[in-house]
Amino acid sequence: VILLGAGGVARTAAFLCAMRGAQEVWLLNRTLSRAQELAEEVNRAAGRACVKPLTLSDWKQIPEGRYLVLQGTMVGLAPDTERAPIEDEGFYRLIHTGYDLIYRPARTKFMRLVEEAGGRAFNGLKMLLYQGVEAYELWTRTTVTKEQAALCYERMKKELFADE
């Protein structure tokens, strides 16, 4: 896994990847010290050195291969929608699947670059949906069915992206 960013949602993703058994998580951040701090914390919690910190500009140190990439920086959010955290086309050839963890805009520059390099790209709308589902189930002690979640997802897409 390659993870872009070291705050907010990227922090959660780093822990999730390590705890769910990712062999390596290449943690790339604008600030190396922040990536190192998070890597140390996650590695300590996981009991193994699986998170490897780098700066965004040092992506070429990642071994050749095809990776799942989670984009967890704020780059690409409105109003700055025409930027990606890494602009080099070579980086995108490493990606088989890219998730931009933001949901608006619906299609970010990061996602376009992933697809242009032959990968699959997704936004964070389902992550937003399932955060709400988890909270709703927790607080109401009810269960949301897959069918109900799918209806909500379609409605969210319609409402959020009607003007895009």
Side-chain angles (χ1 to χ4, degrees):
V1 175
I2 299 172
L3 176 57
L4 306 178
V9 71
R11 176 181 167 74
T12 301
F15 275 97
L16 183 63
C17 289
M19 298 308 194
R20 293 288 175 103
Q23 290 180 350
E24 292 181 317
V25 179
W26 295 93
L27 176 61
L28 282 62
N29 194 55
R30 186 174 39 92
T31 309
L32 181 59
S33 61
R34 191 132 181 233
Q36 289 170 328
E37 288 171 19
L38 179 56
E40 288 172 14
E41 186 179 356
V42 173
N43 287 337
R44 189 171 40 257
R48 59 196 179 95
C50 57
V51 180
K52 301 170 183 332
L54 294 172
T55 63
L56 289 166
S57 60
D58 287 334
W59 68 265
K60 290 180 182 177
Q61 293 181 27
I62 298 171
E64 285 295 318
R66 299 282 285 170
Y67 294 86
L68 166 65
V69 177
L70 306 174
Q71 198 301 92
T73 74
M74 293 178 55
V75 178
L77 283 170
D80 195 20
T81 59
E82 287 307 310
R83 287 188 342 139
I86 297 174
E87 299 280 344
D88 191 321
E89 290 178 22
F91 173 73
Y92 294 90
R93 288 192 288 271
L94 296 173
I95 303 173
H96 65 72
T97 305
Y99 282 93
D100 199 325
L101 299 176
I102 64 172
Y103 58 89
R104 196 165 206 177
R107 191 164 144 74
T108 63
K109 183 173 183 181
F110 169 82
M111 293 169 64
R112 287 193 311 270
L113 291 169
V114 168
E115 290 171 343
E116 288 169 7
R120 298 179 316 151
F122 302 92
N123 65 29
L125 187 60
K126 283 195 177 175
M127 182 181 74
L128 176 67
L129 168 68
Y130 283 102
Q131 286 174 339
V133 167
E134 289 287 326
Y136 182 81
E137 289 179 337
L138 175 69
W139 288 102
T140 64
R141 292 189 170 94
T142 60
T143 300
V144 175
T145 67
K146 288 182 181 183
E147 294 78 19
Q148 291 169 324
L151 286 171
C152 290
Y153 179 70
E154 292 306 317
R155 178 72 184 266
M156 289 170 71
K157 282 196 315 188
K158 182 179 176 184
E159 294 293 325
L160 285 170
F161 308 133
D163 59 341
E164 289 187 15

